[in-house]
Every structure is written in C-alpha cells, then in structure tokens.
Amino acid sequence: MPDTQALVNDFLNKLKKRKIEGSQATAKQTAELLRSVISQTRMPYTNQAAALIHSVKAVGERLIAANPVELAVGNVVRRVLHIVREEDLSLTTAAMAGLNLSAESDDEDDTDRDNHPALSAAAIAAASRSTLRPPSLQTLLEDVPDSAAVPHTSSSGGDSEGKSKSADKSSRSRKLKHDVIEAVNELIQDISTCHELIAEQAVEHIHQNEVILTLGSSRTVLEFLCAAKEKKRSFRVFVAEGAPRYQGHLLAKELVTRGLQTTLITDSAVFAMISRVNMVIVGAHAVMANGGVIAPVGLNMVALAAQKHAVPFVVLAGSHKLCPLYPHHPEVLLNELRSPSELLDFGEFSDCLDFGSGIGAPLLHVVNPTFDYVPPKLVSLFITDTGGHNPSYMYRLIADYYSADDLVLERRTTSGN
Amino acid sequence: MDARRMSRAVPRVRQVGFFTPNTPAKQPQPQSAAPSSESPPLSDSPASNSLSPVMIPPPRHLSDNLGGRTAAVPVPGRENSGELPTVGSYNPSESVLWLDSPPRSRIGDEELSEGAESSLGWYRRSDSAKFASSLPSGGFNLSTAKHPESVAAVEAKNPLPEQSEAQKEQASSSKPLKAKTTKAERRALQESQRAAKAASRAEANKSGTPGGAPSSKPMKQPPQKKDGPPVASSIAASERIGVDRSVEKERKKDLPPPRKQFDDESRGGRAKRRSVLNQPEARNRVELFRHLPPHKNGTQLPYLGSKFFELHEKHPAVYKVGLQYLAGDLSGGNARCIAMLQAFQEAIRDYSTPPEKTLTRDLTSKIGGFVSFLIECRPLSMSMGNAIRFLKSRIARLPLTLSESEAKTTLCSDIDRFINEKIVLADKVILRHAATKIRDGDVLLTYGSSCVVEMILLYAHELGKQFRVVVVDSHPMLEGQKLLRRLVVKGLSCTYTQLNAISYVMHKVTRVFLGASSIFSNGTVYSTVGTASVAMVAHAFRVPVLVCCEAYKFHERVQLDSICFNELGDPDAISKVPGRVDVNYLDNLTDKQKENLELLNLKYDATPSDYISVIVTDYGMIPPTSVPVIVRGYRKEYLLI
C-alpha cells in the first residue's frame, strides 16, 4: 500500500507540474498506475467490486484534480471504473447462473447479493447491465440472449465453485481482481497500439498526389501519413509550424526523414495555402461527447479556413481521447495558459509586464493558450481505432466505453475539494 | 482662352500635326505650371497609352474636353479608334511595373512593332515633340516615320475641309498599324504624311494669318473652332462607329497587363541576364511558387556593396534605398514608397540632361533603371507601382519649353505633393474617419504592424477614449512586438498574443483594425500574410473588420487567391525563432532530409472581400464593393495632379 501511495504522489506531482506531455503518454501512465492501485487494494469478502471502485475513484479524483485539463486522465479513470463494473457484472452473472443451475439454497444467494436479496440472478444481471450501459438497441438485444447464454459458458466453473462457500468466495475475489487487471492490461495495450490501428486506415483516406495540410505535431498524424507512404502512395504534406511551440518543425523533420515530400509553412500562411490542399489531417487533444474537439491552439482557425474552401477536416483520435463530457465554454474552461516567455522575451518587455512599477494593473497582458476548441460543425470526420465516424455519432461511440455512473466523477471531485 | 488662341493662330501646318499632343503644355509659355489645369487630357493620351493601359483617360475624359471645345466633339472617338489598336497590342508584352524599361536611346527607332518596351512610348513622344520644335520641316519625316498613328490622331483633331479625305487616310493608316509590320508602318507613314501635307496646305490657305511660322505655338485651335460644326455633321456617321469601337477598345485597354511570371523561360532568362544581384539557386523552391522571384536575402548585401562603384549609373540615394530594401530595414508600404520617392527626388535634383538628349526621355529611362534596380532588391508593392506610374506621367507631361532646372523643381514639388496629399494627408483623413468607430470600452484587435492602424490607435488614445488593444503577431516577422512596444510606451493597455490564439481572444474583441498593402478592385485586400486568417476568424465571431488603407494603394487588378501573385520571404527565417533556443529541430539536417524539405515563407495573402465590413480610406468609409469606383476615379485624378 505505501509504495502505491508513493507512486500516486509521484504521478500527481508530474501531472501538476505538467511534466507529462501528450495525452497518450498520460493515458498510459494513468492506466498503469491504476493497475498497481488495483493490485494493491485489499479485497474484502463482500462487495469487492465496490471496494475496487472506491479505491480507483479515490485515486482518480486526485489525478483529475491534479490536471483537470488533461482529459485523458479522467477518461482512463472512467474506463477502469467501467472495466471493474463490467468484470464484476460478468462474474456475478456467471456465479448466479451457476447457482441457479446447481439449485443451491436461497439464503446463500441472499448473503452473496446483499443489496438485492429478492431478485433472481438473471434479473439482477439485466438490471445491473442496464445501469452500466446506457439504453441502446445493442444492449436491448443483448439482454435476452445474455441471460440465456451466460449459464452455458460458465456453468462448469459455477458448478465447481458451488461446492464450498468459503473457497468460492476467495477464488471469486481473486478472480475479480485478476480479471480487472487483465482488462486494464488490455486497455494499456489498446492505448499503445491505437496509432497502428488508426494508421491502418490511412490508405482508405489518402490518395495518390494529394496535398495534405497539418498543424503542429501529433504522433498519430505522423504514423498515419507514414502508413500511407509505406503503401506506395506519393503525396505532399504542408506542415504549419504551430507557434508558439513550433512542434511542426519536429513533425516536418520526422516526415522528411521518412522520405515524405514536406513543405513547412508558417501558421499565417495556412489561409493562403488551404485552397490548394485536398485534406486537412490533424491530431486532437480530446474529443468531447458532442463531437467538438479540444485541439492544439490554432486549429480552429485552420478548421474555419478549411470550411471556407470546402476542404475535409479530419481528426485522428485514439479511443483514450474520447471524453464522455459535454463541453461548456471549452475555450476557457478546458484551456490552459502557458508561459508568456514563449511569446515575448522577458528581457525586452519586463518593464511593461511588471506589476509593481505602475499604479494598478500592468499595461501589457500576454495570452498564450494551449488549446483551441473546434466545434463539431467544422469537423468532417473522426478517425478512431474503431474506424471513421461522424461528429454527430461520437456521443454514441463514447457511451460504449463508459458507464453512466462515472460521468460525474469530476463534479464530486470539485465539491470534495 | 479662345481669344488668346485666336490671336496666335498662325498655322504652321506640319507642326500642327505634331504639336497636338503637346499643345496645352506649350501654350501658356509664361506660366509653366499651368498644364495641369489647362491641359486637355486628350493630348496626353498617346503617351499615357503606351505608358500603361491603366493611365488611359477613360472616354468620359474625352467628352469632358469636348464640353470645352465643342468643335472637337466628333474627333476624340476617331482619334481613339486610330490609335487604340497599337495600344492594345502593346498590352500583352508590357510588364507590370516597367520591369523592362530599357536604356534605349536610338532616336530614329523604328521598332514600333516590337513595342515590348513600355517606355518606348515616352521616347517616341518626346522625340516627336523635339523634332517638331527644333527642325520643323526636316524633322517632319523622321518623326512621322515614328508616329503614323499620332499623325492620324492629330489629323483627326484637325478638322479640315478635306476632312473626309483625312478620315479615309486615317482609316487606312490605322489598319496597317494593326498589322504591326514594318512595311505596313512605312506605308502608313507615307499615307499620313501625305494627309498631313494636304491638311497643312489646306490650313495654310485658309488661315492666312502671317508670322510665327516656326514658332511652337499651337495653331490648330482657330480652324478647329471655325470648322467644328460642319465637320461634326460631315463625319457624324463614321463618328458613331468610331465611338462605339473606341468604347470597346477602351474597355480592353483597361485590362491590366499580365504580371511577369518568373517561371516563364524567355522572360526569366532576360531578367537574369540583366540582374545586378546573384540569383539564388532554385533548389528546394516550392513548386507552387516557381512563378515568383526567389527571395534575395541580406547575405548579398556585401556583394552589392562591393559593386557600388561599378553601378555608377545608380544614384547613391537610390542605391541606399535599394540596400535598405534588401536588408529588410525598410518595411511597410508607406515607408518604402516614401523612401523611394525621396530617393528619386534626390536623383532628379542631381540629374543633368546629357548632351543630345531630352530631359523627359532620358530621365524616364533613368527612373526606369532605378526602378528595375529596386525591384531586384525587393519586388515592388502595388502602392509603389502606383507612385512610379504617377512620377513617370509627370515627367512625360513636362512642358518641353521648361528649362532643365525648372523641370527639375517642378518634378520635385510634384513628388512632394504626392507624398503629402496621397500619404500624409490621406492618413490624417483616415485617422479622423476611423476614430469615430472607436468607442469607450472597446477591445480593438490589430494584426502585425500597420502604421495607419498604429496612428489611429494613438490618435484615439489622445482623444481620451478608453479602449484596449489586442496585438496579434506571427512568426517569422514578429512585427507586432515592435508595435506593442511603441503602444505600451504611449500608455495604451495592450494584450499580446500569437496568431494561433486568435480564436481565444476573439471572444472579447469588438473591432478589428487591419492595414493593407493594396486593395484590388474586386475588393480583395492584399496584405501581410495572416491578415486573411484574422479577418476570417473575426467574421466567424461576428466582429466587424475595418481595413484602413490610403486610396493610392488601390489597384485595378483582381485576384482571388494568394498564390497567383505574392512575394516570397527568406525561407531560412522559418526554421529559426528569435529568442527561442529550444526551437532548433531543423538545425542539423542531413542532405537527404534537406532534399525533401521545402520551406515556404509567404509575405502576403489575399483576404476575400466578404470578410471585410468596411474599408476606411481617404475618400471616406466604403464597402469593399466600392473599390472599383475609387480606382476609376482615382486614376483620373492623379493623371491630372
């Protein structure tokens, strides 16, 4: 336990100091941390899922509070919670089905499911499933075969576990934790391979002799373009440098190293060049449930220019960037202001920036936001690891990954603080 | 005026023919400054036509004149029909801003058909004038040889009893001109000569006024006056046709000449041969922009400096301005334009006409040489093109009777007046207009560093208005920092940000003030790169966009995108960010990497007119759709300055 605590604190510090860059790295590290938290959690005999959820939430709240702008943290926390719920559910359903099949006595059932003593196992499964997932055609259709099918798959396990009560409980508790950790491992795997999954679709979108514009640097975009290049597509890339971080220089360098014909342009030339561009492909910081995108600063301008010239604006996003929240005033609330030193030389302008010198407020303010909000109407297409989607479909896609109970995670955090 | 002309009316026939173009200039000999007011624009048309189609007085001009001299009513149309074809044929080969004006000095130059050199027109005109005045009889042939069409034009203005004959002559003379072969020219010349002789005889017979035969005084007026009405009636039918045709031609003439395309082999080669500076190698140039001249950076400065004594024909003042352009010390449309004009002023002051040359002709070619030198240092802005056009037209319209020193002072004062009226005063008017649009509590956004916008902000601040300024800047120019510094020093409260953050700051902004390098007649604003993005975002956020621009920067070109015409900056400036040592990703590239990487540094972009709410100019605040109206009116006006 103490070592987990140390790990958590260490990670919290990194988040607070913004030492971790990029949502993929953050997501991965968050998942790894939560995995160790889960493995360290002492499991009670009863209601183990709740205990797991509680410990994950406790850590998750702190992580989110440490960097509320890095939505990937919250996303991963919610994903892990969702995993715990799902695993618990599947185990319970399995156990219940086993119990039902072996026709054990009623009181055992009651102790096992203390919350819902009166309900039958199938009903519990259906109920909990419906709370986990938002109502949809898929869940509705799944429900009927689920209750019928589960018994067949896990009947043998249920049979053996039904023999002795204590053995059953300990093995189940271990099984839940084990399953959850397995699933979290899968999640980590997903996060680290999302680039490849997205890049696989590159050929479907990039044609021969196309001109593609991108801004700033994104690993997803880099892999996407290179995948198309490997498939013998020859095309040209315009890279806008993405001031004030100038990550575009980095991307341009990577691209030319891999033999792509690249032109580096200034951000101001985006409007001039967009009329000759076939497609804008950019990475995102986060995708909101309404289909809006939190993206590196400057992309709203690019999206507007693309819309003016009817150029498709394509956003690449791994599933860990899909955020279940609906944004409110995201330009300010989901933004972060970076140091003015990136824009102005302090040596030159320190006299104007000084608060102490004059009376009242200083004359000069420097604004250096990190993100831009691109409204859904400006986005033509999202490409995630599950394929291409319309902005209007994102809420549905997102609902698959998260359970409705966890959406309010953040609000509790803020009220707790 | 009429009375005076009457008294002088001593027709020296041949001269009449050749003097028409200069008539107004000559006429008021004692008051040499008079031409501007008295000169009928008609007389200028041959010169201005060949100058550039833009300068051609529109038909309305002609009719204005006619109002004054009723007798001439039918004439101008025909005159146009006679001379227009040539002009039209000049168009395609003419370069944008006299890139090609050559140091041609042959007097008897018959290469009318070549016509590629725009300044040729000037030479021709001044030649004829000179000949006519100095060797009235002997020069006749020579000059006619060069001016079949002007003869025709003159004839047209010179209504005679044999008018119909002259008309025929003219028609026939204008045709071969169109063909543009030397033979045809010769025939035309013969015919026109014949016509002129006939005309002169007739006129001599008619107006028996003696004396002043070789004098340069204009003789044509009285007969014109007398014979006007009958002539009008006699040629009424043909006149109508002529007018129709002329209107059509006029329209064609209005087309600006095509821009020089740098990727055009033939022209590019010539430019290269004549260039003073080394052309940077074409390696790693963006394919889309091969048609633009590559950027010449300051590294050529020492090279150019070492050539100072070889390029002795360049005046030191011009040389200095050129170096400043090259080094990037001078930027901003107005500053560059003023510096150029002042350098020219200085050059004109130090100028002395070489023996056996005329001032108008030699000075024009000199200026042309300066201009092409400046273009080599940095491509001209539209506003500078307009200013040069003005200066050349002033030189061309110098009365020949002026002594050299008088001509020089006239030109210098003209330049001063241009700077004063078109730039300094215009800015003051713009300030007044724009300040009315600033209210207390406003948040004004500006992009880059426009001197007009800066003046507006300072002016409004002086008026005591309470507002905040958002200065938006962009790499690699980072001009906004200098503007920011100047504004903060003056006590304005400012917010500074980069172009990328424009969507973030635009929520709070209530007005966007932008400067412009030029405004095209389709309302497109040609300005520092990034302006279009700012205007677009402002439009998306429903924030009014005010573009502040002096009317002398308006241009009759049209442009839809920023690619067809632009200026390339130093590509290496992109990879470096001043004050940021951490941005050095592109420092050590291998050759293979460099092969694939192109750096593009555009200087300008074109903002579509739908993003512009209003254009604040010295004529008031106008919508972008009204730009062509100003362009038209303005063209006329500065011809007459």
Side-chain angles (χ1 to χ4, degrees):
Chain A
M1 216 43 191
D3 54 325
T4 329
Q5 214 42 259
L7 273 177
V8 169
N9 285 336
D10 188 37
F11 190 61
L12 279 177
N13 269 333
K14 277 192 194 161
L15 279 180
K16 272 183 190 156
K17 291 176 181 165
R18 309 291 192 258
K19 285 217 172 132
I20 309 170
E21 295 248 314
S23 45
Q24 200 211 8
T26 323
K28 209 168 157 186
Q29 291 187 34
T30 313
E32 278 162 2
L33 181 76
L34 289 178
R35 185 176 60 186
S36 62
V37 167
I38 288 168
S39 67
Q40 295 288 326
T41 309
R42 201 172 295 135
M43 301 296 277
Y45 282 114
T46 56
N47 207 2
Q48 295 151 339
L52 273 186
I53 288 172
H54 178 76
S55 62
V56 169
K57 258 190 183 170
V59 174
E61 279 171 14
R62 291 170 64 197
L63 293 182
I64 293 172
N67 188 355
V69 175
E70 185 51 271
L71 293 164
V73 175
N75 296 346
V76 169
V77 171
R78 289 188 186 93
R79 288 283 291 272
V80 170
L81 289 175
H82 182 65
I83 284 168
V84 173
R85 283 174 208 271
E86 286 239 304
E87 291 300 330
D88 177 44
L89 178 70
S90 70
L91 271 183
T92 323
T93 4
M96 286 302 137
L99 290 175
N100 272 357
L101 272 188
S102 55
E104 292 285 303
S105 65
D106 294 337
D107 52 350
E108 276 181 27
D109 194 5
D110 281 355
T111 50
D112 211 27
R113 312 289 307 160
D114 40 4
N115 287 335
H116 314 281
L119 293 173
S120 78
I124 293 165
S128 52
R129 189 168 283 276
S130 64
T131 57
L132 272 181
R133 289 187 185 172
S136 76
L137 194 58
Q138 197 188 0
T139 32
L140 286 177
L141 287 172
E142 262 178 8
D143 267 347
V144 186
D146 212 29
S147 50
V150 167
H152 295 292
T153 55
S154 57
S155 57
S156 59
D159 270 316
S160 59
E161 278 167 24
K163 301 284 192 259
S164 96
K165 213 168 125 187
S166 60
D168 169 44
K169 285 203 166 165
S170 66
S171 78
R172 267 188 61 200
S173 71
R174 234 175 283 129
K175 190 161 168 32
L176 175 66
K177 202 191 252 184
H178 176 76
D179 284 358
V180 167
I181 288 175
E182 276 295 296
V184 172
N185 277 337
E186 243 171 68
L187 173 66
I188 295 172
Q189 194 70 26
D190 275 357
I191 292 173
S192 42
T193 60
C194 72
H195 294 320
E196 284 101 84
L197 286 172
I198 294 174
E200 270 174 21
Q201 307 165 49
V203 227
E204 295 169 27
H205 297 281
I206 298 180
H207 252 270
Q208 193 74 13
N209 294 330
E210 287 218 36
V211 179
I212 287 164
L213 184 133
T214 184
L215 181 137
S217 178
S218 154
R219 170 124 184 268
T220 326
V221 172
L222 175 69
E223 301 278 338
F224 193 80
L225 296 176
C226 291
K229 162 82 180 166
E230 277 158 25
K231 299 269 166 58
K232 303 288 175 234
R233 291 279 152 83
S234 74
F235 53 95
R236 178 176 289 276
V237 186
F238 285 133
V239 182
E241 51 187 8
R245 304 188 63 199
Y246 301 101
Q247 296 275 306
H249 293 191
L250 204 59
L251 181 70
K253 190 178 179 182
E254 287 287 330
L255 288 174
V256 293
T257 314
R258 308 213 190 171
L260 265 164
Q261 195 69 41
T262 308
T263 306
L264 185 64
I265 62 173
T266 55
D267 302 319
S268 43
V270 164
F271 189 90
M273 299 308 298
I274 199 112
S275 59
R276 299 297 189 275
V277 166
N278 298 112
M279 194 193 271
V280 180
I281 299 180
V282 295
H285 174 68
V287 178
M288 306 309 287
N290 66 344
V293 185
I294 308 288
V297 70
L299 276 182
N300 190 41
M301 185 180 82
V302 176
L304 281 170
Q307 189 200 35
K308 159 85 180 170
H309 291 273
V311 178
F313 187 82
V314 178
V315 177
L316 309 182
S319 59
H320 59 275
K321 292 185 178 176
L322 307 182
C323 180
L325 303 176
Y326 285 83
H328 168 65
H329 208 227
E331 297 91 343
V332 177
L333 296 182
L334 289 175
N335 213 334
E336 195 167 45
L337 294 178
R338 295 171 65 91
S339 160
S341 67
E342 288 183 334
L343 302 189
L344 278 187
D345 197 1
F346 278 147
E348 254 178 79
F349 282 89
S350 53
D351 50 330
C352 319
L353 287 163
D354 192 8
F355 278 79
S357 65
I359 14 156
L363 285 174
L364 178 58
H365 291 261
V366 178
V367 181
N368 184 12
T370 319
F371 302 117
D372 240 358
Y373 174 69
V374 183
K377 62 171 185 189
L378 297 181
V379 181
S380 317
L381 187 71
F382 283 103
I383 299 179
T384 68
D385 29 13
T386 57
H389 303 286
N390 237 21
S392 57
Y393 182 73
M394 292 318 282
Y395 83 97
R396 189 62 204 81
L397 193 69
I398 283 165
D400 278 347
Y401 290 114
Y402 306 97
S403 66
D405 291 350
D406 304 325
L407 296 187
V408 284
L409 208 63
E410 221 169 24
R411 199 183 297 158
R412 265 177 52 185
T413 313
T414 49
S415 63
N417 288 347
Chain B
M1 180 174 155
D2 283 336
R4 195 172 38 167
R5 282 185 184 170
M6 282 299 267
S7 70
R8 271 191 215 151
V10 185
R12 262 291 294 165
V13 188
R14 289 172 214 141
Q15 269 186 3
V16 168
F18 285 101
F19 260 83
T20 329
N22 285 328
T23 309
K26 295 261 155 177
Q27 198 182 8
Q29 243 175 356
Q31 12 157 322
S32 57
S36 54
S37 55
E38 275 186 53
S39 62
L42 243 188
S43 62
D44 240 4
S45 51
S48 51
N49 280 350
S50 46
L51 205 197
S52 154
V54 174
M55 305 283 291
I56 296 160
R60 234 178 336 136
H61 259 275
L62 303 177
S63 52
D64 286 349
N65 266 337
L66 301 181
R69 293 186 271 150
T70 39
V73 172
V75 175
R78 256 183 332 118
E79 183 201 55
N80 276 336
S81 68
E83 75 185 33
L84 276 178
T86 7
V87 171
S89 64
Y90 276 57
N91 281 348
S93 52
E94 214 175 67
S95 66
V96 191
L97 300 159
W98 302 291
L99 279 176
D100 288 343
S101 59
R104 220 173 262 248
S105 54
R106 272 180 296 159
I107 287 180
D109 202 343
E110 279 205 4
E111 292 183 51
L112 257 187
S113 58
E114 205 204 292
E117 322 305 336
S118 54
S119 48
L120 199 54
W122 299 89
Y123 301 147
R124 286 197 333 235
R125 182 183 162 276
S126 51
D127 270 355
S128 70
K130 184 178 152 198
F131 276 124
S133 58
S134 55
L135 344 150
S137 52
F140 185 82
N141 285 340
L142 247 182
S143 43
T144 355
K146 278 172 276 136
H147 295 282
E149 89 277 37
S150 68
V151 168
V154 163
E155 274 175 351
K157 278 182 120 189
N158 209 3
L160 305 163
E162 299 94 336
Q163 185 58 272
S164 56
E165 191 213 329
Q167 231 176 316
K168 263 182 256 152
E169 297 281 3
Q170 192 207 352
S172 55
S173 71
S174 64
K175 251 173 223 159
L177 264 180
K178 269 184 216 160
K180 279 222 312 183
T181 62
T182 33
K183 263 185 195 168
E185 271 168 37
R186 265 175 219 138
R187 202 186 314 138
L189 128 86
Q190 279 176 358
E191 276 167 348
S192 53
Q193 244 173 297
R194 197 149 33 89
K197 267 178 199 159
S200 66
R201 222 177 292 132
E203 216 171 294
N205 292 342
K206 263 196 154 190
S207 55
T209 333
S215 87
S216 56
K217 303 236 160 63
M219 314 311 175
K220 62 165 179 156
Q221 305 293 9
Q224 214 172 7
K225 196 82 192 160
K226 253 187 273 166
D227 297 344
V231 167
S233 59
S234 74
I235 58 165
S238 63
E239 159 62 16
R240 205 179 306 128
I241 301 164
V243 163
D244 286 351
R245 242 195 301 165
S246 81
V247 166
E248 211 173 281
K249 299 265 168 53
E250 198 73 42
R251 260 182 228 138
K252 271 187 208 157
K253 262 196 299 183
D254 270 351
L255 291 175
R259 288 191 180 103
K260 187 188 155 191
Q261 301 292 306
F262 208 78
D263 52 354
D264 185 349
E265 297 272 321
S266 53
R267 299 188 66 92
R270 195 151 41 137
K272 217 167 261 183
R273 252 181 289 124
R274 269 197 278 119
S275 71
V276 180
L277 291 171
N278 294 321
Q279 298 289 335
E281 72 279 40
R283 189 183 61 84
N284 272 12
R285 283 182 46 208
V286 183
E287 204 175 343
L288 214 46
F289 291 95
R290 294 264 157 85
H291 63 291
L292 298 177
H295 174 78
K296 298 173 194 89
N297 54 20
T299 54
Q300 299 216 13
L301 217 51
Y303 172 76
L304 194 61
S306 68
K307 283 191 87 175
F308 179 77
F309 293 105
E310 294 170 42
L311 301 167
H312 49 82
E313 77 270 18
K314 309 276 178 272
H315 191 271
V318 177
Y319 203 85
K320 180 178 143 204
V321 172
L323 290 181
Q324 281 174 328
Y325 287 175
L326 191 65
D329 294 344
L330 258 182
S331 59
N334 286 344
R336 278 170 68 197
C337 190
I338 291 176
M340 179 191 71
L341 285 176
Q342 282 171 346
F344 286 170
Q345 209 175 12
E346 222 164 295
I348 288 172
R349 261 186 222 122
D350 296 348
Y351 171 82
S352 63
T353 319
E356 294 172 14
K357 281 184 183 175
T358 43
L359 179 128
T360 27
R361 186 179 157 149
D362 189 57
L363 190 56
T364 315
S365 79
K366 235 244 96 132
I367 298 279
F370 294 159
V371 169
S372 55
F373 169 74
L374 292 182
I375 287 174
E376 279 209 35
C377 294
R378 188 179 162 184
L380 295 187
S381 65
M382 295 290 164
S383 52
M384 289 159 76
N386 282 343
I388 293 169
R389 211 150 54 171
F390 159 80
L391 179 61
K392 288 206 175 183
S393 83
R394 293 310 305 164
I395 297 175
R397 290 156 52 94
L398 277 179
L400 282 165
T401 46
L402 279 188
S403 72
E404 191 182 304
S405 64
E406 276 173 331
K408 277 156 64 177
T409 35
T410 315
L411 284 178
C412 288
S413 69
D414 277 342
I415 291 176
D416 274 335
R417 203 165 69 223
F418 185 89
I419 293 175
N420 260 321
E421 280 177 15
K422 295 298 167 196
I423 303 178
V424 178
L425 277 176
D427 281 346
K428 284 193 180 136
V429 177
I430 290 176
L431 292 193
R432 298 265 156 72
H433 285 305
T436 62
K437 293 292 165 201
I438 301 178
R439 301 166 304 190
D440 278 348
D442 263 347
V443 179
L444 312 175
L445 184 141
T446 182
Y447 174 74
S449 170
S450 157
C451 63
V452 190
V453 173
E454 184 184 343
M455 284 192 278
I456 290 169
L457 297 175
L458 292 176
Y459 179 68
H461 182 68
E462 275 168 27
L463 291 183
K465 303 203 177 187
Q466 298 297 315
F467 58 92
R468 183 166 194 88
V469 183
V470 180
V471 179
V472 181
D473 207 352
S474 83
H475 181 245
M477 293 294 278
L478 294 175
E479 286 172 314
Q481 293 190 359
K482 290 168 202 148
L483 174 70
L484 180 72
R485 165 58 77 185
R486 292 193 293 263
L487 291 181
V488 168
V489 164
K490 289 275 164 69
L492 280 83
S493 48
C494 297
T495 302
Y496 178 80
T497 192
Q498 291 254 4
L499 178 63
N500 273 342
I502 185 93
S503 311
Y504 181 85
V505 289
M506 199 54 89
H507 289 281
K508 300 254 173 72
V509 173
T510 54
R511 299 261 188 286
V512 175
F513 280 90
L514 297 172
S517 167
S518 180
I519 298 183
F520 296 126
S521 63
N522 60 342
T524 302
V525 174
Y526 183 72
S527 187
T528 326
V529 68
T531 305
S533 305
V534 173
M536 173 186 68
V537 175
H539 181 76
F541 282 81
R542 309 282 189 275
V543 178
V545 178
L546 295 89
V547 174
C548 309
C549 182
E550 301 87 351
Y552 87 103
K553 291 178 176 175
F554 288 17
H555 204 279
E556 67 277 314
R557 265 177 213 296
V558 288
Q559 195 168 332
L560 288 173
D561 60 14
S562 321
I563 292 168
C564 293
F565 183 73
N566 213 316
E567 190 185 325
L568 296 178
D570 182 9
D572 295 325
I574 289 195
S575 54
K576 292 181 209 81
V577 184
R580 294 283 299 278
V581 275
D582 52 321
V583 182
N584 54 359
Y585 311 110
L586 297 175
D587 279 359
N588 304 308
L589 292 180
T590 61
D591 283 349
K592 187 178 164 276
Q593 285 172 328
K594 276 181 189 160
E595 202 174 293
N596 285 322
L597 183 66
E598 292 166 344
L599 300 171
L600 175 64
N601 184 1
L602 279 184
K603 289 248 172 162
Y604 295 100
D605 67 7
T607 310
S609 60
D610 30 342
Y611 294 150
I612 311 294
S613 317
V614 73
I615 295 172
V616 186
T617 177
D618 30 337
Y619 290 89
M621 288 184 271
I622 57 165
T625 45
S626 297
V627 173
V629 179
I630 299 262
V631 169
R632 245 185 112 93
Y634 185 65
R635 192 172 61 206
K636 191 168 54 177
E637 183 195 325
Y638 81 74
L639 263 179
L640 294 178
I641 277 181

